[in-house]
Amino acid sequence: MATHLRTYPPSLLRQFILTANAEVGQNELAQLINDPSLMDINVINSLNELQAAETFTEIQRRLRVYYGRGARGILLRIGQNLWKPALEQQGIMVRILAAGVKLIPAGMRQKPALDLLARVMRGKEGSVSVHTMDLNLLFVDSSSPTTEGLQESQPVCFVTLGLIRGLLFWATENDYDVEETGCRAMGNESCEFKVV
């Protein structure tokens, strides 16, 4: 079994924190995180991809502990609301590619949009890819930090699931069924998201 570093781009972490602030409230998130440095954008900007992954993992862990079963819905909403502001913070090349996705006929935008998200989530060191599987698309995240230290019977990558849904709606203005069919927290080699 191949091992991949669990990485996360700091720019995406920064936007995740800002989006989580908007979802749960800055005061509540600050109390929940209980680490002022994690709320400091300058500190977040100084993290490398491994440190960002650890921070991303820890914030989600604390949200799951605090909200219990309600964390799933909160994390999904954070993910769904993450794409547009995250895109605005990307470099010029990613924004040009995003504009190109919008020029493609709407029915053909799903894969290029997912390829764009894979590029953003991959960062410098991660392993994220998109595959065509029969009539469906498969988004594969082999560097998913969300699963670090978890052994679960169900998939746990709710932010990524919401992010894929939000991205596809941005790209096509249609809702898509997305299901996490494999998760590293369940012992799989990668987290896999099937888009129907």
Side-chain angles (χ1 to χ4, degrees), residues 103-121:
L103 296 175
I104 298 170
M108 299 170 64
R109 292 180 188 166
Q110 299 91 337
K111 183 160 186 324
L114 289 169
D115 286 335
L116 181 64
L117 177 59
R119 179 185 177 122
V120 169
M121 286 182 64

Side-chain angles (χ1 to χ4, degrees), residues 6 56-58 60-62 64-65 75 144-158 180 183-188 191:
R6 290 194 168 122
F56 183 66
T57 301
E58 183 59 20
Q60 285 190 68
R61 185 191 70 74
R62 291 182 188 197
R64 282 194 306 273
V65 167
L75 292 169
S144 171
T146 302
T147 60
E148 184 67 34
L150 295 179
Q151 292 181 339
E152 300 288 335
S153 59
Q154 300 290 320
V156 297
C157 302
F158 306 125
E180 188 173 4
C183 186
R184 289 178 74 161
M186 297 167 56
N188 296 80
C191 299

Side-chain angles (χ1 to χ4, degrees), residues 16 24 28-39 54-71 74-75 78 146 150:
F16 166 75
V24 301
E28 191 164 335
L29 186 64
Q31 286 179 342
L32 182 74
I33 292 174
N34 197 24
D35 183 347
S37 69
L38 296 182
M39 302 299 289
E54 291 170 1
T55 303
F56 183 66
T57 301
E58 183 59 20
I59 291 171
Q60 285 190 68
R61 185 191 70 74
R62 291 182 188 197
L63 286 167
R64 282 194 306 273
V65 167
Y66 185 77
Y67 288 108
R69 298 183 100 166
I74 290 167
L75 292 169
I78 291 169
T146 302
L150 295 179

Side-chain angles (χ1 to χ4, degrees), residues 24-143:
V24 301
Q26 185 169 356
N27 289 339
E28 191 164 335
L29 186 64
Q31 286 179 342
L32 182 74
I33 292 174
N34 197 24
D35 183 347
S37 69
L38 296 182
M39 302 299 289
D40 185 337
I41 296 304
N42 293 321
V43 170
I44 298 301
N45 288 339
S46 70
L47 299 178
N48 65 37
E49 289 191 354
L50 295 173
Q51 293 166 326
E54 291 170 1
T55 303
F56 183 66
T57 301
E58 183 59 20
I59 291 171
Q60 285 190 68
R61 185 191 70 74
R62 291 182 188 197
L63 286 167
R64 282 194 306 273
V65 167
Y66 185 77
Y67 288 108
R69 298 183 100 166
R72 180 184 192 278
I74 290 167
L75 292 169
L76 277 170
R77 283 191 301 277
I78 291 169
Q80 285 178 311
N81 294 323
L82 185 55
W83 175 248
K84 284 183 186 178
L87 177 59
E88 291 171 6
Q89 301 304 311
Q90 296 301 310
I92 188 71
M93 183 52 103
V94 170
R95 291 194 314 251
I96 289 170
L97 292 171
V101 167
K102 291 288 206 158
L103 296 175
I104 298 170
M108 299 170 64
R109 292 180 188 166
Q110 299 91 337
K111 183 160 186 324
L114 289 169
D115 286 335
L116 181 64
L117 177 59
R119 179 185 177 122
V120 169
M121 286 182 64
R122 185 179 310 120
K124 295 175 187 155
E125 300 184 39
S127 179
V128 184
S129 56
V130 181
H131 308 275
T132 304
M133 207 177 84
D134 298 322
L135 298 175
N136 301 315
L137 293 168
L138 191 65
F139 188 89
V140 180
D141 184 357
S142 298
S143 55

